[in-house]
Amino acid sequence: MASSHHPPHFVIFPFMSKGHTIPLLHLSRLLFHRRIKLTIFTTTANRPFIAHFLGWKSDDPNIIDLPFPSQIEGIPQGIESTDKLPSISLFPAFATATKIMQPHFEQALDNLSNVTAIVSDGFLSWTFESANKFGIPRLSFLGMNNYVGAVCREVFSNQLLSGPESDDELIMITRNDFDKPLNQRVPIMGPDLEFIIESGIATANSYGLISNSFYELEPLFVDYLNSDPKPKVWCVGPLCLAEPQPPTVVEARVHQQHPKWMGWLDQKLAQECSVVYVAFGSQAEISKEQLEEISNGLEESQVSFLWVVRKDDDETNVVVKELEERVGERGMIVREWVDQIEILKHESVRGFVSHCGWNSVLESICWKVPILAWPMMAEQHLNARMVVEEIKIGLRVETCDGSVRGFVKADGLKKMVKELMEGQNGKEVRKKVEEIGEGAQKAMAEGGSSWRTLNELVHELQSVRGSDVSKGEAYIPVDDLHLLKI
């Protein structure tokens, strides 16, 4: 490492998934506008998306391709992003395979000069070892809120899930708020658990943790996490409020055809019709039976809706085609990738039926759209608790058996959609999300808490360049899950 008089230079390494990549590209914009040199690592197939998103040339030398491993069992050749996996069950194999990229990453890193810090997705745990080899501070990015981090730390350090007999018995959360293997009373070691532990250890020993959140949203949980000296949490979000895309990209968009769904939303606004937006992310796997109930519930609600359907198979296509025929102009179903922020910004959109991925929650907050929470996987169940119980910007979908993972029937969906859009509870969460949305914008504006925090982080990292502090600590052994601070 060179002396601190060099201008800051950040390496950004997103995990190969749109939901993980996009917030780190938003962070890249924030750093770029502070005149910080950036080098972004990715793979060949993901390079065009990154270049386009940032408004850079496709052959920009500051984007470095690493070869993605081939011959991964179960994963078709050429798939380099989790949103294109045939099944989310292949995620552990995909994530584990990224370790093969480590020698290529280190070779490329060796050719860079004056690197201030590496910002790595937490899923790329092996970058911690690489950062230590080069004496570079590593900052982990997990893409989740501090409520989840604090709850997980408390739950696993105190073994709270080994107690209640019922999977739905409430402690501060329930066992059903976690996916396997974390929801097991005695988690069984396997690829999933090994991946979680490796990611957790690397994050716990990194220089810091970059949080896509703002302090005023969850001060209790940020303070709880920062009561431990390491890793320090740096709240620099919501990152989706980063500076807009460079003019080259904006100008290009002007010449693109106005998407049909945006034209449809314009029509609804002219008709003074409120629209509920329905989207469950790119990786949720929804059964045909559940799709049929969603279809019937939206039809019976009599509310105008825009439903983005990611799955493209014969069963799904039959369900949505029949719905389109039944509801006519009252609903629109989109089977393409959409700009979700543009949809949430639209004045006609007054509610969001969401899986509660953290990016989606933040986008709802920033554009002041209340949520009907329907979590599907990963930490989404905890996000839903935060949305409904902690910050109170949404309602929860009604399951037929009361379980957080229960089946949702058409009547339950109809009831809660109408409550969100027209009921008293809907009015209350709408008021709350407008209040919190104002706070998010203030946090990101010049002089706001997130704006100041990012400046402080850059300044601090420059001051430790070349020092022993920047070299981090070696891996520590973890024998039991409850010892891991996630």
Side-chain angles (χ1 to χ4, degrees):
M1 297 288 290
S3 62
S4 59
H5 71 270
H6 288 281
H9 176 192
F10 277 58
V11 164
I12 310 290
F13 199 163
F15 184 68
M16 301 85 192
S17 173
K18 292 292 191 298
H20 288 243
T21 297
I22 289 173
L24 278 181
L25 295 182
H26 283 137
L27 175 64
S28 297
R29 286 187 194 160
L30 291 177
L31 296 171
F32 182 80
H33 281 282
R34 283 166 168 76
R35 301 186 183 281
I36 292 171
K37 177 178 172 58
L38 300 176
T39 301
I40 299 177
F41 282 86
T42 186
T43 67
T44 303
N46 290 298
R47 182 189 186 101
F49 174 81
I50 289 175
H52 177 76
F53 193 98
L54 294 175
W56 295 2
K57 294 180 180 178
S58 59
D59 59 351
D60 193 302
N62 294 311
I63 303 175
I64 297 178
D65 296 352
L66 301 178
F68 191 80
S70 58
Q71 310 300 322
I72 307 171
E73 186 177 355
I75 299 178
Q77 192 78 19
I79 288 182
E80 298 181 9
S81 182
T82 61
D83 42 284
K84 297 186 182 299
L85 288 173
S87 169
I88 197 62
S89 65
L90 294 169
F91 174 84
F94 181 96
T96 301
T98 66
K99 294 179 181 179
I100 301 172
M101 301 166 65
Q102 185 172 356
H104 304 285
F105 175 60
E106 292 177 2
Q107 183 179 6
L109 202 59
D110 195 35
N111 292 325
L112 298 178
S113 59
N114 305 313
V115 176
T116 307
I118 296 172
V119 180
S120 167
D121 192 287
F123 283 3
L124 302 173
S125 58
W126 47 268
T127 60
F128 174 73
E129 182 180 355
S130 301
N132 275 356
K133 284 182 182 179
F134 288 87
I136 303 172
R138 177 190 189 260
L139 293 153
S140 183
F141 178 81
L142 295 179
M144 65 185 190
N145 56 61
N146 299 290
Y147 168 80
V148 170
V151 166
C152 287
R153 178 180 292 185
E154 187 70 10
V155 165
F156 295 119
S157 63
N158 292 298
Q159 303 183 64
L160 297 182
L161 297 186
S162 63
E165 290 302 313
S166 169
D167 289 346
D168 293 302
E169 183 175 336
L170 185 65
I171 332 164
M172 65 174 70
I173 41 80
T174 73
R175 188 174 288 107
N176 268 333
D177 285 310
F178 296 87
D179 280 353
K180 290 181 179 179
L182 295 179
N183 61 0
Q184 297 170 328
R185 288 176 177 82
V186 182
I188 299 171
M189 188 60 70
D192 288 345
L193 189 54
E194 288 175 3
F195 172 76
I196 292 168
I197 290 175
E198 288 175 1
S199 298
I201 293 172
T203 292
N205 288 279
S206 291
Y207 183 86
L209 173 62
I210 289 184
S211 170
N212 187 10
S213 184
F214 59 106
Y215 180 78
E216 293 82 358
L217 181 66
E218 41 180 351
L220 174 67
F221 304 106
V222 176
D223 290 345
Y224 171 80
L225 291 173
N226 279 337
S227 63
D228 258 5
K230 205 169 185 182
K232 180 177 178 180
V233 174
W234 302 80
C235 293
V236 298
L239 294 170
C240 57
L241 288 176
E243 293 286 340
Q245 294 180 353
T248 52
V249 176
V250 175
E251 289 165 6
R253 278 193 168 184
V254 170
H255 296 95
Q256 291 177 357
Q257 186 176 359
H258 196 50
K260 60 184 179 181
W261 50 91
M262 296 305 294
W264 180 84
L265 288 174
D266 291 341
Q267 290 177 7
K268 293 300 170 188
L269 183 62
Q271 297 165 3
E272 299 184 345
C273 287
S274 295
V275 174
V276 64
Y277 170 53
V278 184
F280 301 109
S282 59
Q283 296 178 344
E285 296 182 344
I286 303 174
S287 68
K288 181 188 177 186
E289 293 75 18
Q290 187 63 87
L291 282 170
E292 289 172 342
E293 295 296 327
I294 296 171
S295 171
N296 294 334
L298 291 174
E299 178 186 5
E300 294 168 10
S301 73
Q302 294 301 308
V303 172
S304 295
F305 64 87
L306 172 62
W307 182 12
V308 176
V309 179
R310 303 291 191 204
K311 200 170 181 181
D312 184 16
D313 58 34
D314 291 341
E315 286 187 343
T316 302
N317 290 333
V318 168
V319 171
V320 298
K321 189 173 186 302
E322 290 177 352
L323 177 61
E324 286 175 315
E325 292 171 354
R326 297 197 305 267
V327 300
E329 282 297 309
R330 183 166 64 81
M332 170 162 277
I333 299 171
V334 180
R335 300 170 181 81
E336 304 167 50
W337 186 268
V338 301
D339 186 334
Q340 181 162 283
I341 288 177
E342 288 302 310
I343 290 173
L344 290 171
K345 278 182 178 179
H346 201 280
E347 291 180 59
S348 67
V349 175
R350 303 282 289 164
F352 183 9
V353 181
S354 172
H355 63 309
C356 289
W358 186 236
N359 291 336
S360 292
V361 171
L362 284 176
E363 289 163 6
S364 274
I365 288 172
C366 292
W367 284 280
K368 304 172 184 176
V369 179
I371 292 172
L372 180 57
W374 190 345
M376 299 279 172
M377 56 182 286
E379 86 283 9
Q380 293 163 13
H381 290 84
L382 292 176
N383 290 342
R385 284 202 180 275
M386 181 185 186
V387 162
V388 177
E389 300 169 13
E390 293 293 332
I391 57 176
K392 304 183 190 309
I393 61 164
L395 309 177
R396 187 147 195 162
V397 74
E398 187 175 273
T399 61
C400 59
D401 64 358
S403 167
V404 298
R405 291 180 182 265
F407 191 79
V408 177
K409 292 188 175 180
D411 284 348
L413 180 59
K414 167 189 169 182
K415 171 186 171 182
M416 294 312 299
V417 165
K418 289 183 73 67
E419 183 62 31
L420 182 72
M421 301 297 284
E422 303 167 3
Q424 182 59 38
N425 290 328
K427 291 177 183 177
E428 291 175 4
V429 295
R430 190 178 313 282
K431 180 180 178 181
K432 189 66 174 177
V433 79
E434 288 174 358
E435 173 192 322
I436 293 180
E438 291 291 333
Q441 292 170 3
K442 288 178 182 177
M444 288 293 285
E446 185 171 348
S449 62
S450 293
W451 184 89
R452 295 194 311 272
T453 297
L454 184 56
N455 285 351
E456 290 165 6
L457 175 59
V458 173
H459 177 76
E460 183 173 308
L461 286 166
Q462 282 186 281
S463 71
V464 302
R465 287 175 62 180
S467 70
D468 290 338
V469 176
S470 70
K471 296 178 183 179
E473 298 174 9
Y475 279 97
I476 56 173
V478 173
D479 298 320
D480 300 300
L481 179 64
H482 72 273
L483 296 177
L484 175 60
K485 293 180 178 179
I486 295 180

